[in-house]
Amino acid sequence: MYLVAIPLGLLIVGGFSRGTPGDFTQLTFANYIKSYGSPALFELFYNTFVFATGSVLLALPVAVIFAWLIERTNTPWRSVAYAFVIAPVAMPGMLLSMSWVLLMSPNVGVINRALMFVFGLDAAPFNIYSLGGMIFTEGLRLVPTTFLLLVGAFRAMDPSLEEAALVSGANKFVTTLRVTLRILLPAILTATIYIFMTAIESFEIPGVLGLRNGILVFSSKIYYATTSSYGGGANYGEASALSSTYLVISILLIYLYQRSTRRSERFATVTGKGYRPRLMDLGMWKYVALFFFVLYFCLAVLFPILIMFWASLIPFYQAPSFEALSVVSFSTYRDLLSDAEVAKAVRNTAWLMLESAGVTTLLATTIAWVVLRSKFPGRRMLDVLTFLPHAVPSVVLALALVYVYLTFDFIPIYGTSLIILVAFVTKYLPFSMRTLSAGIIQIHKELEEAARVSGALPTTVLRKIVIPLLLPTMAGVAIWVAVHAMRELSMALMLNSTSNNVISFLVWSHWEAGELRHAATLGVVLIAIMLLMTFIGRYLATRGMKVE
């Protein structure tokens, strides 16, 4: 209730307040009249819908093809291909969009300049500062998440149905289209709803590519309304009014997502009868499939990292050339070691990563165990409340916490790292709880019942039996939370002060100030750390599946 219900309640009331957050003495409908009576509202809905839908339409087919190629065909080097697909998880949306600015900006984009030179064009063929550019970048970012949502379903499907279609005379293409994809339609629909929710709440890419160019979606509009940096005027009442609609849309999507997951068992094909997966032979096309994986890895990881690294080496940005090599220097990396602001941001980020990972994992473990194993009468409501933050966009949650800790000013955490910690724990609790619930379900009740019969208290059972068996899963969850805490931007921006700067905010502020070299240097370091942590998390998760 404290983490979820109170913040959302105060946020809704804040939509009727004329004053600053925490001041509810002047209640009015003016914020709603201004927000929903504006001619720009239609454009806001249009941009948000087109951005989210376009991103899904780009990411979903690519992820479906990748999952099918890895799990149902004889594509070579499938383990390498798998790594290529999930590697972009370590690329924050903020840095991905900054990289593509350097690659496809109309003025300085390397790809645009190369195409203009080769084909003799007078104008740049691509403009990353557009709705299409935002969709392209967000689509690249969503592919790994969509792939991970689908790959298990492709792996588990009984191939006897496909074999029956092939024996009946259908070719491989028809079999895949009319049998494989139709059976997996519930899983694909569920993934579609989930990534649509993710695109709806995305801030980093609309913030970098659209905010300064007047292309606003709901997330960037709410941030715009809370800051005077872009002429928004810091109108918290208007931001709260917009957040209410944003919240309703997100809750509706969560409802659709839950309904789709509840009914998916009707399409189960894995039974106890002779299940044995077989791979489809692609012939020479398997090398084309492998090239497809390499191309995606280059677009989503390799090219962005290389151009970001290049930008970190030169004092003023210019396209790579032999002449530019004469000004290459690693001095910015050396400067990082002596920069007091960077040192403070690193300490804050490290503290938030460790604390949010530890607190979230322990809290999620306890809640999952109470919901699944205890007879606590409120466990159903506890389960619902724990999942609710998943429906709350990050920028809305951060705004809600501003209202909470300016209203309850006797809790002195506004402007400190603690308020960001509360935001991280609340936001990452749903995923952590669901993941750990799956781990607890795999632990047979007989082990806990034997301990209770022997006289062990419930806390002893949790501490000596459940947690030791869950450790691989808990470690994987902790790594996941730490990675996301390190890359999170929208909540860090909304809750930022001079004392709680984090690395993601520092990258953003250098970029906004035009200090590309410093932003790129911090970005390269951030990506390197996150790549390492992502593959550690993948190793722990794989080990956890083997243990359980």
Side-chain angles (χ1 to χ4, degrees):
M1 293 291 290
Y2 174 73
L3 290 175
V4 181
I6 291 176
L8 294 183
L10 287 175
L11 178 68
I12 292 170
V13 175
F16 297 96
S17 173
R18 190 187 297 274
T20 57
D23 178 11
F24 301 109
T25 57
Q26 305 177 55
L27 298 182
T28 175
F29 285 97
N31 295 320
Y32 283 89
I33 294 172
K34 180 180 178 181
S35 300
Y36 296 100
S38 170
L41 183 67
F42 174 78
E43 184 181 2
L44 182 66
F45 272 100
Y46 173 82
N47 288 344
T48 304
F49 178 78
V50 171
F51 170 67
T53 304
S55 301
V56 171
L57 291 178
L58 176 59
L60 186 66
V62 174
V64 168
I65 292 171
F66 281 167
W68 178 71
L69 288 173
I70 286 178
E71 296 297 338
R72 313 300 295 179
T73 73
N74 65 337
T75 300
W77 296 355
R78 287 183 296 145
S79 59
V80 175
Y82 191 104
F84 280 177
V85 178
I86 68 168
V89 171
M91 177 69 72
M94 172 181 60
L95 297 178
L96 182 64
S97 51
M98 290 176 182
S99 301
W100 277 99
V101 166
L102 303 179
L103 289 167
M104 283 207 307
S105 166
N107 297 323
V108 299
V110 174
I111 293 176
N112 275 328
R113 291 174 66 88
L115 292 175
M116 291 171 66
F117 175 78
V118 171
F119 296 103
L121 302 176
D122 296 327
F126 300 110
N127 180 14
I128 198 68
Y129 294 115
S130 62
L131 202 53
M134 291 163 55
I135 289 171
F136 169 76
T137 313
E138 183 71 19
L140 287 179
R141 189 179 75 93
L142 289 177
V143 167
T145 301
T146 315
F147 170 80
L148 290 172
L149 290 170
L150 293 173
V151 69
F154 275 88
R155 182 185 304 127
M157 198 196 85
D158 189 345
S160 62
L161 300 170
E162 296 170 309
E163 292 164 2
L166 292 170
V167 170
S168 301
N171 60 36
K172 296 174 183 178
F173 176 77
V174 172
T175 299
T176 300
L177 191 64
R178 300 188 63 182
V179 177
T180 308
L181 294 183
R182 290 188 67 179
I183 290 173
L184 294 172
L185 190 60
I188 294 173
L189 176 62
T190 300
T192 302
I193 296 172
Y194 184 89
I195 62 172
F196 188 84
M197 289 189 308
T198 304
I200 282 283
E201 77 155 308
S202 173
F203 170 79
E204 288 89 344
I205 289 169
V208 172
L209 300 180
L211 196 57
R212 284 193 175 275
N213 299 281
I215 306 173
L216 299 177
V217 297
F218 259 107
S219 58
S220 56
K221 174 63 176 178
I222 291 171
Y223 175 69
Y224 175 88
T226 61
T227 178
S228 57
S229 301
Y230 309 93
N235 190 332
Y236 282 90
E238 182 184 356
S240 300
L242 288 171
S243 296
S244 300
T245 299
Y246 198 16
L247 190 59
V248 169
I249 294 171
S250 299
I251 290 175
L252 176 61
L253 290 171
I254 281 287
Y255 171 74
L256 293 175
Y257 176 74
Q258 288 185 311
R259 278 185 61 86
S260 66
T261 54
R262 279 202 302 266
R263 300 179 62 187
S264 60
E265 69 277 359
R266 297 186 298 117
F267 291 79
T269 64
V270 179
T271 67
K273 297 182 179 180
Y275 169 66
R276 184 163 61 92
R278 296 178 182 88
L279 300 179
M280 185 178 293
D281 183 13
L282 294 179
M284 292 301 296
W285 286 100
K286 63 186 178 182
Y287 299 106
V288 177
L290 183 61
F291 171 77
F292 192 21
F293 286 104
V294 174
L295 176 63
Y296 171 72
F297 178 76
C298 290
L299 292 175
V301 179
L302 185 60
F303 292 166
I305 288 179
L306 289 178
I307 197 65
M308 191 69 74
F309 181 63
W310 170 256
S312 71
L313 299 178
I314 52 179
F316 302 101
Y317 183 74
Q318 52 186 304
S321 63
F322 288 109
E323 293 79 9
L325 289 175
S326 61
V327 295
V328 164
S329 169
F330 288 88
S331 60
T332 312
Y333 289 92
R334 292 194 298 269
D335 293 342
L336 284 179
L337 301 176
S338 57
D339 191 321
E341 188 179 14
V342 172
K344 182 171 69 173
V346 169
R347 287 195 299 270
N348 288 339
T349 303
W351 182 84
L352 282 168
M353 288 170 60
L354 292 173
E355 292 295 326
S356 59
V359 172
T360 306
T361 303
L362 290 175
L363 184 59
T365 302
T366 306
I367 292 173
W369 187 67
V370 168
V371 169
L372 293 172
R373 293 292 200 254
S374 77
K375 296 181 180 179
F376 172 60
R379 62 186 183 277
R380 300 290 183 190
M381 180 58 67
L382 180 62
D383 190 26
V384 171
L385 282 173
T386 305
F387 192 67
L388 186 59
H390 191 60
V392 184
S394 298
V395 68
V396 174
L397 176 60
L399 181 60
L401 291 179
V402 170
Y403 275 92
V404 170
Y405 293 105
L406 287 180
T407 302
F408 303 145
D409 53 6
F410 55 87
I411 306 176
I413 69 170
Y414 183 78
T416 70
S417 296
L418 280 172
I419 192 172
I420 302 180
L421 175 62
V422 172
F424 286 175
V425 170
T426 306
K427 186 62 183 178
Y428 304 140
L429 191 58
F431 173 87
S432 304
M433 192 264 194
R434 286 298 183 272
T435 304
L436 288 161
S437 294
I440 290 176
I441 289 172
Q442 291 180 312
I443 301 173
H444 204 286
K445 290 183 179 180
E446 290 176 352
L447 298 172
E448 300 174 51
E449 290 167 356
R452 290 196 188 96
V453 169
S454 302
L457 296 172
T459 52
T460 306
V461 173
L462 180 64
R463 181 168 52 88
K464 291 194 172 183
I465 294 179
V466 177
I467 289 180
L469 291 173
L470 272 180
L471 274 180
T473 306
M474 292 175 68
V477 167
I479 291 287
W480 184 90
V481 172
V483 167
H484 282 73
M486 188 177 188
R487 65 187 290 175
E488 172 61 38
L489 174 65
S490 55
M491 289 189 286
L493 273 179
M494 295 286 289
L495 301 173
N496 168 260
S497 72
T498 55
S499 63
N500 65 2
N501 282 346
V502 293
I503 294 177
S504 59
F505 173 79
L506 218 53
V507 175
W508 170 274
S509 60
H510 281 304
W511 176 267
E512 289 291 288
E515 299 169 351
L516 175 58
R517 188 180 187 183
H518 293 86
T521 302
L522 285 169
V524 169
V525 173
L526 187 63
I527 292 169
I529 296 172
M530 291 188 65
L531 276 171
L532 177 63
M533 294 181 66
T534 298
F535 284 104
I536 290 174
R538 172 63 187 165
Y539 168 76
L540 291 173
T542 306
R543 183 183 174 190
M545 287 187 289
K546 291 178 180 178
V547 170
E548 291 163 351

